[in-house]
Amino acid sequence: MIVPPAPRRWDDPLKRAVDVVAAAGLLVVASPVIAAVALAVRVKLGSPVLFRQRRAGRGGEPFELLKFRTMRPAPPGPWTAATDADRLTPLGKALRRWSLDELPQLVNVLRGDMSLVGPRPLPVEYLPRYSSAQIRRHAVLPGVTGWAQVNGRNDTDWSRRLQHDVWYVDHRSLALDLRILARTAYQVVRPHGVSQPGQATMTEFTGTEFTGE
């Protein structure tokens, strides 16, 4: 599915420069934490240490998202009843609570797959399920954090979350990005909304949750 890019803004090159400098700096500063998390995942969950999944990026183009693993592998066989919540480990819960599982996405930012701020990248399987309004979330690079994340994180329904994403596309600016990053830092210190009630993270988007254009 082809999604036209959002109109270019004067501060887009500056946004990219901030992404590169900040992501590279964070990788250096956080390298001891990254190494410790990688070791903990290797000891508790085995290999691979990283979770890799195809997600839809700008224009709907797929890319490989990187995260630290937080779940045990799904049991083999077609009749397994294990849910994501069943597979989520205590270590995984801690990593998600403090957003440490997201650190490898700084590499995605350096690669140009993602920005620090933008709509969260979702599975490519969701692309045909969006309405004509919702699909506009893919007019910009996806982000490590975003407007939806600082307005409820995963503790919101899909309709509202995607509305936040489209709002960001229409109102994006470097000043708004800095505001979102500041609010993200606050949420990391005081985490909430990590998951929906009764879910490991959030329910699957089926395309039936949309209530209007």
Side-chain angles (χ1 to χ4, degrees):
M1 180 177 294
I2 299 176
V3 182
R8 188 174 178 83
R9 286 181 46 87
W10 68 269
D11 54 358
D12 282 348
L14 184 57
K15 173 183 171 72
R16 178 58 185 160
V18 170
D19 281 345
V20 171
V21 172
L26 286 170
L27 280 171
V28 172
V29 171
S31 57
V33 176
I34 292 172
V37 172
L39 179 60
V41 173
R42 180 68 177 84
V43 170
K44 294 291 186 180
L45 295 175
S47 67
V49 168
L50 293 179
F51 169 79
R52 302 169 184 264
Q53 187 180 54
R54 274 165 44 95
R55 299 286 180 97
R58 181 166 55 188
E61 290 294 323
F63 72 97
E64 186 178 65
L65 179 82
L66 303 176
K67 295 180 69 172
F68 281 120
R69 282 181 60 207
T70 57
M71 296 184 184
R72 301 181 184 91
W79 308 111
T80 178
T83 65
D84 285 353
D86 295 329
R87 296 166 51 210
L88 187 62
T89 64
L91 172 63
K93 290 178 181 179
L95 295 181
R96 291 189 179 200
R97 177 175 175 82
W98 301 104
S99 298
L100 296 175
D101 61 319
E102 310 282 357
L103 286 173
Q105 287 168 48
L106 295 172
V107 175
N108 286 123
V109 174
L110 289 179
R111 289 177 178 174
D113 300 325
M114 297 175 62
S115 173
L116 289 177
V117 179
R120 283 293 296 162
L122 298 174
V124 293
E125 292 79 11
Y126 289 5
L127 285 172
R129 307 175 189 177
Y130 298 125
S131 71
S132 58
Q134 292 169 338
I135 196 68
R136 293 182 55 243
R137 72 187 303 278
H138 289 288
V140 298
L141 282 175
V144 177
T145 186
W147 186 242
Q149 281 60 51
V150 298
N151 284 280
R153 204 167 176 179
N154 289 325
D155 193 19
T156 54
D157 60 49
W158 275 111
S159 179
R160 179 59 59 86
R161 186 178 181 184
L162 296 177
Q163 286 173 11
H164 284 318
D165 288 343
V166 175
W167 185 92
Y168 172 80
V169 171
D170 292 336
H171 296 85
R172 74 193 193 285
S173 68
L174 185 59
L176 178 59
D177 283 4
L178 295 176
R179 177 182 169 192
I180 291 171
L181 288 170
R183 289 179 63 176
T184 299
Y186 175 79
Q187 286 193 347
V188 169
V189 174
R190 299 188 62 181
H192 64 279
V194 177
S195 62
Q196 288 183 326
Q199 302 291 327
T201 51
M202 196 166 184
T203 56
E204 180 179 354
F205 174 64
T206 65
T208 61
E209 298 86 348
F210 188 60
T211 57
E213 293 289 325

